[in-house]
């Protein structure tokens, strides 16, 4: 019956009408486009004038900490701090980045101790997997001046710099974070937050080269030139998708300063990387996943993060971490309080708590990245003597002198450089 | 007698539109509007911090093509090979389930759908373990002198195509099964009564009757496979990245929304053209 209907003249008429209507609909779509033309896509930055908007502040009690006390916070939007009535803090962090109870992996002893001493409950979520993805996740709220339902977020230096540039995070009230004085001197004034008024490092790491000596036959890879050109490593090398780590190390190898370079230097570094990609030397560009492959021996050497290497070394003696003579990259993941956070004071209390050397040592003992807190090395001696002398957790000044940071980039530079880099990585 | 008939006719004319309206409304809100936004975004210039303004920058499409043309060719070739492979694997499987499985039919169908109970991502990551350099699959194939790119399976185009084939296989099996299941066994019997050998009966009767399933299955496999980026991310090397990977990187990492939108629009139009050519050749009447 349906077939007969389809072949019927009525159905053909219907089709003809439909296509006329399609035409009209497309014309209508043109109207939509014209409408959109007048709208354009809004920028992500919060301007100082935007922040003066009344932000649905009901009769909520101001905890005496949000902005009003310090004139310097006048540019940040009010956060409707509910800290005193709602004893809670919502903490978004990277996976496997905190101490866990030996019996129950969902318990975190340092957080439990904080709740016990202050009465403030912590909702701890491991939902930061990638700086760029997380940026995409919180962008709709933060660019519209809305609450992200998070009180503390942890992001890497360059993304933290972007958050500050976009005016998306709040200044700490110094009175609530007295322990900030314990921050290691080398980390005290990054160019993008010179007085550490918006950020404090959760953990710091080094980027260098890791080798699985079982795969290389005892040989350790000691320079980027060797990593990118040694024929015996062909197809068994990975680099990081984090542009600043991979390109930074190559620039150091070429004798350039990653903190101060020209477009030509950047292109030269990418050329070296492109040659290694085209020759099949580099097997993949990865995030954390390289660690598993390196441990299993699928790859021989990689651009690697220090903390991952320590964790691998615990189970596998063949894994070596080398600091190339030309230098290492250093980075931190920073705690920040996003605009409109509902528990700013509680967040500051928690940040302050982790800057107590004893707590910092407990954290570093299980996180294995560089501890940014002065005095934690002393405290570590009573927890684990070997970790207290591990140069990848408590590096000496000589090692720190070899470390470099990547230059701060503008939005346009960020787009141009990362497009060039992702093109080399195959996409 | 005349009047009520006319009224009934008019009533039935407006009825299709009434029935269509919820669906149309849904499509306008969740398909047409985003699509128009995407098209407009592709013609804007600016940066993510200050915002983008519409400048009718058509030039972006040619720039996009010079930069990423080979990614399109790669995506369509991988999707094509994966679709053919899926068809070759799925046809006998669907045939067996439809005609030979007997009381195991429902169990086998559940098994085909079972992979959907775990996440797409986890299933793709499992392939990393299966194809690992020192895994048993690789060592067995190596000892059989199977030709391998750089002596490995993981992070090659072969791995990406395997992943695509595997991940979209159920989309091929189910429509094939549905159309094979519908075939009246008596027509095949009639063919053999008319002295057709089994192979001829299959070629002249069963296969042509299953064509709607073949067309639906190949479309359901090819379209998502061409747009996929998960398989290339985890199973590919820098030489195997597809259009989806570029869109992902441009949207999330470089924050170059116009070029990412231009890539998506081009992908959409290219698939639309390919699919309509295919449907025109294969004939729509059997599918709908």
């Amino acid at each position: 019956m349906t077939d007969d209907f389809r072949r019927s003249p009525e159905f053909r008429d219907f089709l003809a009408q439909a296509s006329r209507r399609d035409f009209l609909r497309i014309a209508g779509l043109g109207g939509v486009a014209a409408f959109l033309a007048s709208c354009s896509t809004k920028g992500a930055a919060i301007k100082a004038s935007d922040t003066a908007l009344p932000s649905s502040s009901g009769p909520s009690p101001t905890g005496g900490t949000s902005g009003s006390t310090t004139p310097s916070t006048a540019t940040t939007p009010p956060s409707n701090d509910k800290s005193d009535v709602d004893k809670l803090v919502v903490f978004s962090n990277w996976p496997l980045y905190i101490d866990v109870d030996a019996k129950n992996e969902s318990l975190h002893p340092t957080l439990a101790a904080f709740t016990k001493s202050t009465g403030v409950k912590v909702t701890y979520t491991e939902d930061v997997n990638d700086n760029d993805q997380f940026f995409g996740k919180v962008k709709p709220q933060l660019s519209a001046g809305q609450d992200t339902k998070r009180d503390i977020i942890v992001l890497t230096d360059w993304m933290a710099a972007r958050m500050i540039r976009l005016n998306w995070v709040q200044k700490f009230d110094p009175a609530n974070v007295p322990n900030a004085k314990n921050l290691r001197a080398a980390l005290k004034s990054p160019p993008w937050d010179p007085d550490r008024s918006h950020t404090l490092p959760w953990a710091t790491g080094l980027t260098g080269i890791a080798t699985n000596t079982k795969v290389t036959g005892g040989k350790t890879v000691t320079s980027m030139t060797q990593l990118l050109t040694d024929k015996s490593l062909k197809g068994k090398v990975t680099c990081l998708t984090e542009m600043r780590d991979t390109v930074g190390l190559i620039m150091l190898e070429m004798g350039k300063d990653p903190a101060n370079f020209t477009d030509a230097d950047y292109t030269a570094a990418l050329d070296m990387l492109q040659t290694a990609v085209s020759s099949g030397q580099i097997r993949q560009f990865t995030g954390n996943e390289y660690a598993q492959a390196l441990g299993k021996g699928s790859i021989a050497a990689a651009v690697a993060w220090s903390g991952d290497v320590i964790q691998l070394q615990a189970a596998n003696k063949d894994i070596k971490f080398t600091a190339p003579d030309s230098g290492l990259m250093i980075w931190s993941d920073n705690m920040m309080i996003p605009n409109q956070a509902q528990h700013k004071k509680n967040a500051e209390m928690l940040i302050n708590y982790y800057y107590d050397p004893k707590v910092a040592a407990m954290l570093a003992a299980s996180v294995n990245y560089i501890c940014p807190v002065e005095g934690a090395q002393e405290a570590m001696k009573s927890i684990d003597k070997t970790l207290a002398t591990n140069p990848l957790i408590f590096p000496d000044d000589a090692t720190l002198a070899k470390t470099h940071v990547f230059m701060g980039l503008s939005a346009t530079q960020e787009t141009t450089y990362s497009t060039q880099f992702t093109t080399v990585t195959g996409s | 007698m005349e009047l009520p008939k006319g009224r009934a006719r008019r009533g039935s004319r407006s009825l299709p539109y009434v029935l269509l309206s919820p669906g149309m409304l849904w499509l306008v809100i969740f398909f047409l509007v985003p699509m128009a936004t995407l098209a407009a975004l592709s013609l804007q210039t600016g940066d993510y911090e200050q915002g983008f303004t519409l400048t009718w920058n058509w030039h972006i499409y040619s720039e996009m093509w010079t930069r990423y043309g080979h990614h399109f060719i790669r995506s369509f070739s991988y999707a094509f090979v994966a679709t053919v492979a899926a068809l070759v694997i799925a046809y006998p499987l669907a045939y067996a389930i439809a005609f030979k499985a007997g009381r195991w039919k429902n169990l086998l169908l559940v098994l085909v759908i079972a992979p959907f109970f775990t996440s797409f991502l986890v299933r793709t990551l499992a392939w990393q373990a299966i194809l690992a350099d020192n895994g048993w699959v690789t060592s067995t194939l190596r000892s059989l002198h199977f030709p391998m790119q750089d002596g490995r399976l993981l992070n090659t185009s072969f791995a990406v195509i395997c992943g695509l084939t595997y991940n979209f296989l159920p989309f091929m099996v189910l429509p094939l099964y549905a159309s094979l299941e519908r075939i009246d066994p008596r027509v095949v019997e009639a063919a053999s009564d008319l002295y057709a050998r089994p192979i001829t009966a299959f070629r002249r009767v069963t296969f042509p009757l299953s064509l709607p399933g073949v067309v639906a299955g190949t479309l359901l496999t090819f379209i998502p496979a061409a747009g996929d980026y998960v398989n290339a991310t985890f199973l590919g090397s820098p030489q195997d990245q597809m259009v989806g990977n570029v869109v992902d990187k441009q949207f999330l990492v470089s924050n170059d929304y116009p070029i990412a939108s231009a890539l998506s629009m081009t992908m959409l139009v290219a698939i639309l053209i390919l699919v309509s050519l295919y449907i025109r050749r294969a004939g729509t009447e059997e599918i709908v």
Side-chain angles (χ1 to χ4, degrees), chain A residues 53-220:
Chain A
L53 288 169
S55 59
S56 68
S57 56
S60 70
T62 49
T65 55
S66 62
S68 54
T69 50
T70 35
S72 53
T73 48
T75 51
T76 52
S79 71
N80 304 326
D81 199 346
K82 292 183 188 153
S83 289
D84 291 340
V85 281
D86 191 8
K87 294 280 182 196
L88 179 76
V89 56
V90 183
F91 188 174
S92 276
N93 204 348
W94 298 67
L96 309 175
Y97 220 21
I98 196 168
D99 55 320
V100 289
D101 190 272
K103 288 187 193 106
N104 182 348
E105 289 207 352
S106 61
L107 294 179
H108 309 295
T110 52
L111 287 179
F114 172 76
T115 306
K116 204 174 168 192
S117 67
T118 60
V120 174
K121 284 203 179 110
V122 185
T123 307
Y124 186 78
T125 359
E126 300 186 328
D127 65 348
V128 189
N129 282 300
D130 178 288
N131 283 300
D132 289 304
Q133 272 172 26
F134 192 78
F135 177 78
K137 200 187 276 183
V138 295
K139 187 177 170 239
Q141 287 100 33
L142 288 174
S143 61
Q146 289 163 358
D147 179 17
T148 58
K149 310 278 179 208
R150 293 175 176 88
D151 301 310
I152 303 179
I153 56 176
V154 179
L155 295 167
T156 311
D157 291 335
W158 58 272
M159 186 56 85
R162 190 193 286 179
M163 300 296 247
I164 295 172
R165 202 174 66 216
L166 295 174
N167 235 330
W168 283 5
V169 288
Q170 306 187 53
K171 278 195 173 187
F172 299 133
D173 181 346
N176 291 334
V177 199
N179 286 343
K181 65 176 192 303
N182 295 335
L183 177 64
R184 281 192 78 155
L187 300 168
K188 270 194 169 143
S189 48
W192 39 269
D193 191 14
D195 51 355
R196 285 285 182 190
S197 55
H198 296 81
T199 63
L200 276 171
W202 171 256
T204 297
L206 300 173
T207 311
I209 301 170
T211 316
N212 185 332
T213 51
K214 202 176 170 191
V215 183
T216 57
K219 182 163 65 177
T220 311

Side-chain angles (χ1 to χ4, degrees), chain A residues 41 165 277 283 414-415 426, chain B residues 44 48 52 71 133 155 239:
Chain A
T41 309
R165 202 174 66 216
V277 170
R283 177 181 181 138
E414 242 173 20
T415 299
Chain B
Q44 295 179 357
Y48 70 89
F52 296 92
H71 285 88
D133 287 17
N155 305 122
Q239 276 88 357

Side-chain angles (χ1 to χ4, degrees), chain B:
Chain B
M1 223 30 222
E2 288 290 331
L3 200 63
K5 198 182 167 190
R7 222 182 255 159
R9 255 186 90 102
R10 229 174 293 140
S12 67
R13 276 220 168 161
S14 63
L15 187 65
Y17 300 104
V18 173
L19 292 176
L20 272 174
S21 60
M24 291 306 281
L25 198 67
W26 184 269
L27 278 178
V28 166
I29 296 173
F30 292 104
F31 182 75
L32 275 186
V33 172
M35 207 48 87
T37 317
L38 199 67
L41 188 51
S42 74
L43 300 172
Q44 295 179 357
T45 43
D47 68 53
Y48 70 89
E49 198 173 315
Q50 302 306 324
F52 296 92
T53 41
L54 191 79
T55 52
W56 300 105
N57 177 27
W58 292 101
H59 177 67
I60 197 152
Y61 280 88
S62 63
E63 188 196 329
M64 183 251 355
W65 185 255
T66 26
R67 264 159 67 183
Y68 303 114
H70 55 284
H71 285 88
F72 280 94
I73 295 165
R74 191 184 289 146
S75 288
F76 289 129
S77 336
Y78 285 8
F80 177 77
V81 178
T83 307
V84 172
L87 181 63
V88 170
I89 298 168
Y91 203 98
L93 179 63
Y95 188 90
I97 298 176
F99 297 125
K100 312 284 177 197
R103 63 199 177 96
W104 300 104
K105 194 183 268 184
N106 288 336
L107 179 71
L108 286 171
L109 278 176
V110 169
L111 286 179
V112 168
I113 307 166
F116 287 119
F117 294 130
T118 52
S119 121
F120 183 73
L121 208 61
V122 171
R123 283 181 281 135
T124 310
L125 286 171
W127 274 83
Q128 276 192 333
I130 297 171
L131 300 176
D133 287 17
N134 6 18
W136 65 270
V137 176
T138 312
S139 17
T140 313
L141 287 176
R142 202 177 283 144
S143 61
L144 294 171
H145 301 286
F146 183 81
M148 281 190 268
Q149 220 172 306
D150 288 334
R152 62 170 201 245
L153 290 175
L154 192 58
N155 305 122
T156 61
S157 41
F158 176 77
V160 178
I161 293 170
C162 278
L164 289 171
T165 309
Y166 160 76
N167 274 310
F168 299 111
L169 194 61
F171 295 108
M172 184 67 94
V173 176
L174 295 176
L176 278 177
Y177 165 78
S179 66
L180 284 167
E181 225 276 321
R182 266 208 307 249
I183 296 176
D184 189 340
R186 285 172 302 180
V187 293
V188 185
E189 263 173 46
S192 51
D193 285 349
L194 295 167
Y195 299 102
R197 282 175 302 146
I199 184 84
T200 320
F202 175 77
R203 199 165 48 82
R204 302 287 297 274
V205 179
T206 315
F207 186 71
L209 284 173
S210 70
L211 268 180
V214 174
V215 173
T218 46
L219 286 179
L220 286 176
T221 310
F222 183 83
I223 297 171
D228 181 77
Y229 70 101
V230 173
N231 288 284
T233 303
F234 293 112
L235 307 175
S237 74
Q239 276 88 357
D240 306 314
Q241 304 298 300
M242 298 166 69
V243 176
N245 301 85
V246 182
V247 175
D248 170 49
K249 286 280 154 54
Q250 291 295 339
F251 251 117
L252 286 176
V253 182
S254 303
N255 293 297
D256 191 340
Y257 303 153
I259 199 131
S261 313
L263 281 158
S264 310
M265 288 307 294
T266 311
M267 190 70 179
L268 184 96
V269 172
I271 289 185
L272 219 60
I273 293 173
L274 284 176
V275 166
S276 45
L277 286 177
Y278 177 64
I279 290 183
R280 181 154 293 190
R281 249 193 96 78
T284 36
E285 296 200 2
E286 284 87 355
I287 336 178
V288 202

